[in-house]
Amino acid sequence: MQRIAIVDPLDSTREPLRNLLLGVDSVWLEAECARYEFFFDVIHQSNPDVVIVALDAERNKALQLISQLNAEYPELPLLAVSSDNQAILQALERGAKYFLTQPVVLEQLLAALRRLPQKGTSSSSPGGAPAPGPQQSVCIAILGSRGGVGCTSLAVNLGCSFAQDANNNVALVDLDLALGDADVALDLIPDHTLADVAMNIERLDVAFLRRALVKHKETGLSLLAHPVQMQDVSLVHEEHLQRLLNLLRACYSHLVLDLSKGLTPTDLMAMRMADIILLVAQLELSSLRNVVRMLLTLGAEEGLSDKVRVIMNRVGSDFMEGDISLKNAEETVGKQIYWQIPNDAKAMISSRNAGMPLIQHAPRCKSQQSIAGLAQALGDKNGQVPQPTTKPASGGSLLSSLFGGGKKK
């Protein structure tokens, strides 16, 4: 992601350019300034990857600014924008590397951005300051086959396991907007929530984002909590989430998204933007039936079902022992069971009641050991995740019972 700062005193040209930038997933509008004389300080504070300077408001001030920026930050790509070809030539002479003509159109903007140096060609931002986040990230969405299968517990403990590596910078986003409780599981009282981010989406930048997240001191996991008031759920839209996740991916090495059970528009957007979808199930009929239904639904949108990894939770639970085997489950859902988390009710319940993740409350319990192994497997940025090898069952008694048919002949 390229972080861009723009300066243009004219509202009539600055606002269309801003709107174009907001519509491009691969860029982030880091700063927007309406005064040439203030822009040098803005650059010093925000450390963008690219600068766009509009020339038409006050050409002499704009050209002087380009000269200053070129002298102070010679490696910083400068784009000059003007409707006057003579002004553009003057900007190129002063150190601008690229240009755009007014009015800027999307195809022209994308072509210019493609010509810019790719992120990662320099180890630091302008001025020698470290870049605000890693160049790559892993985004994992966690979806439940029904309520109560353990999605939030998995999301919290998976995030905390990722955070144990000092090289990782991990954020958990609670997207169960109405009934989320990741904050309770971590015993955190956030000052800001997703609703605050949505209401301030136009001024969202790295500094605002970091203030919006609350950090769990013991593990290092950062949390962006669900809205406190249920009426605020309607404030969060999928376009807000798209902008938010783009910025989070630029700042964090690992993102964990705890989805709701409603397959809402925000849930679907989260799954589109995720690298991996963990579909959490249990070895019982209603859960497996919903896995099949969800896979059919996700399969209707290209690319979603390929991301799904089925996680079987609470394996070995007494009340399910012997009813449905893992082999039956795989034949039914048509995918390998990617990971099994053993039943460890005592440790899990006491951990939740204490408001502590397992790695802090019961680090040696079998559930935590399994989740730590899952974190290690998923943390591989090379994407070495096995694909399903089994095919959907053709009509056995289990599959028939899931969909209400299949009388024995």
Side-chain angles (χ1 to χ4, degrees):
M1 179 177 293
Q2 295 167 310
R3 297 174 299 114
I4 296 180
I6 63 175
V7 58
D8 187 353
L10 299 177
D11 293 343
S12 60
T13 51
R14 187 180 69 255
E15 290 180 4
L17 177 58
R18 178 188 64 198
N19 292 336
L20 281 180
L21 291 169
L22 293 178
V24 180
D25 289 344
S26 59
V27 305
W28 183 261
L29 183 56
E30 180 69 25
E32 178 184 352
C33 185
R35 300 283 294 275
Y36 293 121
E37 52 267 36
F38 296 156
F39 193 57
F40 198 85
D41 290 334
V42 170
I43 296 302
H44 184 69
Q45 294 172 9
S46 60
N47 290 325
D49 300 315
V50 182
V51 164
I52 301 178
V53 180
L55 308 176
D56 291 345
E58 296 178 80
R59 184 187 301 184
N60 290 336
K61 286 187 177 181
L63 293 173
Q64 183 181 359
L65 173 64
I66 288 173
S67 296
Q68 280 185 289
L69 290 172
N70 187 52
E72 186 73 19
Y73 305 118
E75 301 301 320
L76 176 62
L78 301 175
L79 277 77
V81 184
S82 177
S83 58
D84 186 336
N85 290 335
Q86 186 63 35
I88 290 175
L89 289 174
Q90 291 174 335
L92 294 174
E93 292 171 355
R94 298 292 185 98
K97 307 288 195 305
Y98 310 90
F99 68 89
L100 298 168
T101 55
Q102 280 295 12
V104 179
V105 296
L106 181 60
E107 292 79 5
Q108 179 189 12
L109 174 64
L110 294 175
L113 293 176
R114 282 195 295 269
R115 293 197 301 269
L116 298 179
Q118 292 300 307
K119 186 175 181 181
T121 56
S122 175
S123 61
S124 63
S125 296
Q135 296 173 13
Q136 293 181 334
S137 67
V138 175
C139 183
I140 299 167
I142 299 182
L143 177 67
S145 57
R146 61 169 177 76
V149 294
C151 287
T152 298
S153 293
L154 177 58
V156 167
N157 289 297
L158 184 63
C160 290
S161 295
F162 280 135
Q164 295 312 292
D165 187 335
N167 295 316
N168 293 342
N169 193 14
V170 188
L172 168 62
V173 183
D174 192 345
L175 290 175
D176 192 348
L177 301 180
L179 300 174
D181 61 351
D183 53 340
V184 175
L186 291 166
D187 194 24
L188 294 174
I189 302 176
D191 293 325
H192 304 283
T193 71
L194 274 162
D196 298 303
V197 171
M199 288 187 291
N200 293 277
I201 197 69
E202 295 300 329
R203 57 185 286 257
L204 183 62
D205 57 17
V206 172
F208 184 93
L209 179 65
R210 293 197 186 280
R211 290 196 301 271
L213 277 77
V214 58
K215 197 162 192 175
H216 189 255
K217 293 181 181 178
E218 288 77 10
T219 64
L221 176 68
S222 296
L223 171 69
L224 184 54
H226 65 91
V228 175
Q229 305 296 329
M230 285 195 174
Q231 58 266 33
D232 290 342
V233 169
S234 61
L235 297 173
V236 184
H237 301 151
E238 53 266 44
E239 59 268 22
H240 299 152
L241 184 62
Q242 184 176 26
R243 288 199 63 197
L244 169 66
L245 293 183
N246 276 330
L247 184 56
L248 282 169
R249 294 198 73 151
C251 299
Y252 290 87
S253 64
H254 294 74
L255 298 183
V256 181
L257 313 178
D258 186 14
L259 308 187
S260 77
K261 309 303 180 293
L263 287 181
T264 64
T266 51
D267 291 330
L268 291 171
M269 176 58 71
M271 287 189 280
R272 292 183 190 112
M273 299 190 70
D275 301 303
I276 298 169
I277 301 168
L278 300 184
L279 179 49
V280 185
Q282 292 182 201
L283 290 172
E284 50 89 22
L285 286 177
S286 64
S287 178
L288 293 177
R289 177 178 185 268
N290 286 342
V291 169
V292 176
R293 296 172 65 211
M294 287 177 171
L295 290 175
L296 289 172
T297 299
L298 298 179
E301 184 169 332
E302 185 177 358
L304 282 189
S305 63
D306 294 336
K307 300 178 183 180
V308 175
R309 312 290 177 253
V310 179
I311 306 295
M312 204 59 63
N313 196 19
R314 298 175 187 147
V315 174
S317 176
D318 290 340
F319 77 90
M320 290 186 294
E321 190 71 36
D323 288 343
I324 301 172
S325 70
L326 286 168
K327 182 179 179 182
N328 290 150
E330 286 186 333
E331 290 174 348
T332 300
V333 303
K335 277 184 176 287
Q336 287 182 326
I337 304 305
Y338 176 61
W339 207 265
Q340 302 173 44
I341 299 175
N343 184 52
D344 204 349
K346 183 178 179 181
M348 193 67 74
I349 292 172
S350 61
S351 169
R352 292 277 291 186
N353 289 339
M356 297 171 128
L358 286 171
I359 203 164
Q360 180 186 0
H361 185 72
R364 296 184 180 180
C365 74
K366 54 187 179 181
S367 289
Q368 172 55 33
Q369 295 302 309
S370 177
I371 292 171
L374 176 61
Q376 185 175 5
L378 295 174
D380 183 358
K381 293 186 177 68
N382 294 320
Q384 304 208 358
V385 181
Q387 296 296 319
T389 58
T390 55
K391 297 181 179 180
S394 59
S397 59
L398 176 58
L399 187 65
S400 299
S401 66
L402 291 178
F403 290 94
K407 292 182 179 179
K408 292 183 179 180
K409 294 183 180 180

